[in-house]
């Protein structure tokens, strides 16, 4: 509802930076479900964060679009379709800066959601308060907050709650710090800086849903099934998880305004998002990283095909349930065995999703840094607690080394590829044996953050697995290991 004194629709409660596939199949879809159940009754105003985007297309479609969610539920293929109507309009600040600025004066506005990519929350020194608009997302936020502060004369009740979804650690805290940095650089009033700190809330989040985007290969069949053409149709998996680390004030408001849990959504409000991130990185991401290189070396091309192979199902189960989960329970008391086992079960369903074709070589990109972040900490912590090494994960490390022998298939930073190419060529020329090669790799602290060669038995374990891979093949090596551990 609008009138001459209030140019805003009274239910425009959310300002969202980013109109891409992920947010439209994630938070905007959640808000639509809340609205359907009369639990929020709020609309989202989209801000196009860069000059090129989908604002015009969104407005052409009246903010409406279709989300198709597909996956396994209780091992049964399931498809859900929803026409999302939670978006009221979209603004391109590069072509309509005045509408963009006026929007921040809306008294109903309370929440700001964003996904401007991992690079979006960054400080750009050349950004200025007078630009229309500044280039960086945090600078845009600073400009808007300053306008809101001035318009409402510093009213402490007119601050905003920020829910960033960018995939960086402490995304809300980082956004707040950069906003304050701009405020100081632009010499904005101390009263404004205090208002940003005291009247606005910046949450840290963890998001989890695979969104594959516009299903170009299936669009004709889907259009015929739907009975209408949708330029913004977006596909994703059924699974979702959203953890929001919020202050007591922000959490109380979110529970009142957006009762996600009462709507049956897998959204958690918490005072610390770290345990949930640990669970995701170690189990979901760790399972990918520990298995895909070995699977590729066995001639498998996709995650789906890997999940149809009984050997790799056993490999994953042993790695996750015998090595990863017990280690998490040792280091994080806030996570319980039942929760971790349930999450692991969902991972198996997600990997086996017949609607997503996930190529192993795509996941193999930058495997050294991924292994260092996702799998190596579990190996080191397992060793620390048990004084022995987790052999399934150790075999996955050997598989990584074997994979980097195939330089035509590897994709990583230049210095990583140069190192492995030189080391494997040295082996091929007879200049060093596998044990020497493994020692050189393990001693490369630049890759692993520590000298792995100093850990008792580490190099010997990797070398034994790698020799087996080189002599009897990856598949037989896995079979022998799993048979020995049966």
């Amino acid at each position: 509802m609008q009138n001459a004194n209030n140019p805003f629709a009274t239910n425009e409660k959310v300002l969202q930076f980013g109109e891409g596939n992920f947010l439209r199949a994630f938070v905007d879809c959640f808000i639509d479900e809340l609205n359907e159940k009369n639990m929020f009754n709020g609309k989202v105003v989209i801000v196009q964060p860069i000059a090129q985007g989908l604002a015009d297309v969104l407005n052409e479609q009246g903010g409406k679009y279709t989300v198709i969610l597909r996956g396994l539920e209780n091992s049964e293929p399931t498809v859900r379709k929803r026409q999302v109507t939670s978006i009221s309009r979209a603004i391109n600040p590069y072509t309509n800066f005045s509408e963009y600025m006026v929007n921040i004066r809306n008294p109903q506005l309370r929440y700001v959601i964003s996904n401007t990519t991992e690079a979006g929350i960054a400080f750009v020194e050349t950004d200025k308060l007078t630009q229309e608009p500044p280039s960086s997302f945090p600078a845009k936020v600073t400009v808007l907050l300053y306008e809101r502060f001035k318009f409402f004369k510093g009213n402490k009740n007119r601050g905003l709650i920020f829910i960033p979804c960018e995939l960086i650690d402490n995304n809300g805290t980082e956004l707040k710090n950069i906003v304050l940095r701009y405020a100081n650089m632009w010499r904005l009033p101390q009263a404004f800086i205090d208002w940003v700190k005291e009247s606005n809330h910046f949450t840290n989040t963890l998001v989890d849903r695979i969104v594959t985007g516009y299903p170009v290969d299936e669009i004709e069949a889907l259009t015929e099934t739907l009975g209408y053409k949708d330029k913004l149709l977006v596909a994703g998996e059924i699974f979702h998880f959203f953890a929001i680390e919020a202050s007591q004030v922000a959490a109380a408001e979110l529970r009142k305004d957006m009762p996600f849990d009462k709507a049956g959504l897998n959204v958690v409000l918490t005072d610390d998002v770290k345990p949930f991130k640990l669970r995701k990185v170690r189990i979901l991401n760790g399972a990918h990283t520990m298995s895909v290189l070995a699977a590729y070396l066995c001639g498998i091309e996709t995650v789906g095909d890997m999940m149809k192979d009984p050997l790799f199902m056993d490999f994953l189960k042993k790695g996750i349930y015998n090595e990863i989960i017990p280690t998490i329970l040792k280091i994080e008391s806030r996570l319980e065995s039942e929760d971790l086992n349930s999450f692991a079960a969902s991972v198996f369903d997600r990997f086996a999703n017949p609607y997503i074709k996930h190529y192993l070589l795509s996941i193999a990109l930058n495997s050294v840094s991924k292994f260092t972040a996702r799998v190596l900490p579990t190996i080191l912590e397992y060793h620390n607690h048990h004084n022995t090494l987790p052999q399934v994960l150790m075999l996955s490390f050997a598989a990584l080394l074997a994979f980097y022998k195939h330089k035509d298939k590897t994709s990583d930073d230049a210095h990583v590829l140069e190192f492995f190419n030189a080391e494997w060529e040295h082996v091929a020329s007879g200049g060093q044996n596998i044990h020497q090669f493994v020692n050189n790799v393990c001693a490369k602290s630049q890759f692993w953050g520590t000298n792995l060669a100093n850990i008792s038995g580490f190099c010997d374990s990797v070398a034994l697995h790698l020799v087996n891979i080189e002599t009897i093949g990856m598949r037989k090596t896995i079979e022998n290991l799993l048979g020995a551990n049966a």
Side-chain angles (χ1 to χ4, degrees):
M1 186 189 310
Q2 294 173 297
N3 57 50
N5 296 321
N6 179 16
F8 313 105
T10 55
N11 61 349
E12 287 184 345
K13 301 177 183 179
V14 180
L15 188 66
Q16 177 175 301
F17 286 83
E19 77 286 27
N21 292 319
F22 181 78
L23 286 182
R24 287 191 290 109
F26 195 69
V27 182
D28 297 332
C29 199
F30 300 165
I31 291 173
D32 195 64
E33 291 192 47
L34 289 172
N35 287 340
E36 183 181 65
K37 295 176 171 66
N38 293 316
M39 292 180 172
F40 181 56
N41 299 317
K43 289 282 189 176
V44 179
V45 178
I46 297 284
V47 174
Q48 184 176 297
I50 59 176
Q52 290 76 40
L54 298 172
D56 289 343
V57 182
L58 269 166
N59 288 329
E60 285 171 13
Q61 295 192 178
K64 298 177 183 178
Y65 60 94
T66 306
V67 173
I68 298 179
L69 302 175
R70 304 179 289 192
L72 297 178
E73 285 194 327
N74 299 318
S75 300
E76 290 295 322
T78 305
V79 178
R80 294 178 184 160
K81 302 182 184 72
R82 167 177 288 273
Q83 188 175 56
V84 176
T85 61
S86 55
I87 295 171
S88 62
R89 58 196 170 101
I91 302 171
N92 182 351
Y94 296 86
T95 58
N96 197 342
F97 187 73
S98 59
E99 181 187 3
Y100 169 67
M101 289 298 288
V102 167
N103 188 73
I104 200 67
R105 299 175 181 177
N106 184 355
Q108 301 297 319
L109 182 65
R110 183 56 172 156
Y111 298 96
V112 178
I113 295 167
S114 66
N115 186 14
T116 56
T117 78
E118 294 92 314
I121 300 181
F123 180 79
V124 178
E125 195 165 358
T126 55
D127 275 339
K128 294 181 174 58
L129 180 66
T130 54
Q131 286 175 290
E132 298 186 355
S135 63
S136 77
F137 165 54
K140 290 182 179 74
V141 168
T142 310
V143 170
L144 288 181
L145 283 177
Y146 189 46
E147 175 67 17
R148 190 169 179 85
F149 169 79
K150 291 187 296 180
F151 184 78
F152 289 109
K153 298 180 172 55
N155 188 327
K156 293 182 178 180
N157 296 320
R158 296 301 185 195
L160 302 172
I161 295 174
F162 289 83
I163 309 174
C165 297
E166 288 82 358
L167 297 177
I168 63 170
D169 288 342
N170 304 310
N171 43 22
T173 301
E174 187 65 17
L175 175 60
K176 178 181 180 180
N177 289 340
I178 298 175
V179 166
L180 294 173
R181 188 175 174 185
Y182 277 120
N184 283 297
M185 185 177 79
W186 293 341
R187 301 182 184 278
L188 299 181
Q190 184 61 45
F192 167 69
I193 293 173
D194 293 340
W195 181 79
V196 170
K197 293 178 179 178
E198 298 166 8
S199 300
N200 294 268
H201 303 273
F202 294 78
T203 69
N204 294 316
T205 69
L206 174 71
V207 300
D208 191 3
R209 166 172 271 169
I210 296 171
V211 176
T212 52
Y214 186 76
V216 62
D217 295 338
E218 307 170 77
I219 194 60
E220 289 186 12
L222 289 172
T223 299
E224 186 175 345
T225 300
L226 293 170
Y228 56 87
K229 186 176 182 179
D230 187 346
K231 297 178 183 177
L232 296 169
L233 191 149
V234 56
E237 66 172 340
I238 290 175
F239 178 90
H240 67 276
F241 178 73
F242 194 14
I244 304 173
E245 178 187 305
S247 65
Q248 288 186 349
V249 172
E253 286 201 42
L254 280 163
R255 287 190 182 95
K256 175 174 64 70
D257 292 345
M258 296 183 178
F260 295 112
D261 56 336
K262 293 180 181 178
L265 294 162
N266 194 14
V267 181
V268 173
L269 293 174
T270 178
D271 59 2
D272 190 354
V273 80
K274 292 184 185 68
F276 300 103
K277 181 180 179 184
L278 179 72
R279 182 183 71 173
K280 176 178 182 285
V281 169
R282 297 293 182 90
I283 299 177
L284 174 68
N285 303 129
H288 258 156
T289 301
M290 67 164 275
S291 60
V292 296
L293 300 182
Y296 181 80
L297 292 174
C298 287
I300 299 172
E301 292 190 355
T302 69
V303 174
D305 290 337
M306 179 179 76
M307 299 304 290
K308 295 174 185 175
D309 189 323
L311 179 69
F312 276 94
M313 283 292 288
D314 195 21
F315 185 72
L316 280 164
K317 286 177 180 177
K318 292 278 197 321
I320 292 172
Y321 291 110
N322 294 0
E323 297 179 357
I324 295 175
I325 288 177
T327 302
I328 294 174
L329 291 171
K330 289 284 187 181
I331 64 171
E332 181 48 81
S333 60
R334 291 170 292 184
L335 292 173
E336 297 180 357
S337 178
E338 183 179 357
D339 170 66
L340 294 176
N341 289 331
S342 175
F343 185 78
S346 75
V347 166
F348 281 90
D349 276 349
R350 296 172 75 184
F351 282 10
N353 189 338
Y355 302 100
I356 296 178
K357 197 168 188 177
H358 209 166
Y359 286 95
L360 302 184
L361 281 182
S362 298
I363 304 170
L365 178 68
N366 297 325
S367 284
V368 167
S369 59
K370 287 177 179 175
F371 195 95
T372 302
R374 301 171 175 183
V375 182
L376 184 59
T378 300
I379 294 175
L380 299 179
E381 289 155 1
Y382 187 99
H383 178 265
N384 183 51
H385 285 282
H386 299 281
N387 199 31
T388 187
L389 292 161
Q391 286 307 306
V392 173
L393 298 186
M394 293 302 291
L395 177 51
S396 74
F397 187 76
L400 182 149
L401 272 55
F403 177 76
Y404 275 78
K405 182 180 182 180
H406 303 273
K407 58 184 178 182
D408 59 322
K409 301 298 183 184
T410 54
S411 183
D412 211 316
D413 292 338
H415 72 280
V416 173
L417 298 178
E418 288 168 4
F419 172 80
F420 276 105
N421 290 343
E423 289 295 323
W424 271 118
E425 286 174 8
H426 203 31
V427 173
S429 67
Q432 65 180 358
N433 60 31
I434 290 293
H435 284 79
Q436 291 167 324
F437 164 76
V438 169
N439 271 277
N440 290 344
V441 173
C442 291
K444 193 73 172 175
S445 301
Q446 182 184 356
F447 292 171
W448 320 116
T450 188
N451 187 340
L452 300 176
N454 290 335
I455 299 172
S456 177
F458 195 100
C459 290
D460 289 340
S461 175
V462 176
L464 177 61
H465 291 313
L466 189 55
V467 167
N468 286 335
I469 293 169
E470 289 287 292
T471 54
I472 63 175
M474 177 59 72
R475 190 169 197 89
K476 188 64 177 175
T477 301
I478 296 174
E479 289 174 352
N480 289 347
L481 175 68
L482 298 182
N485 291 342

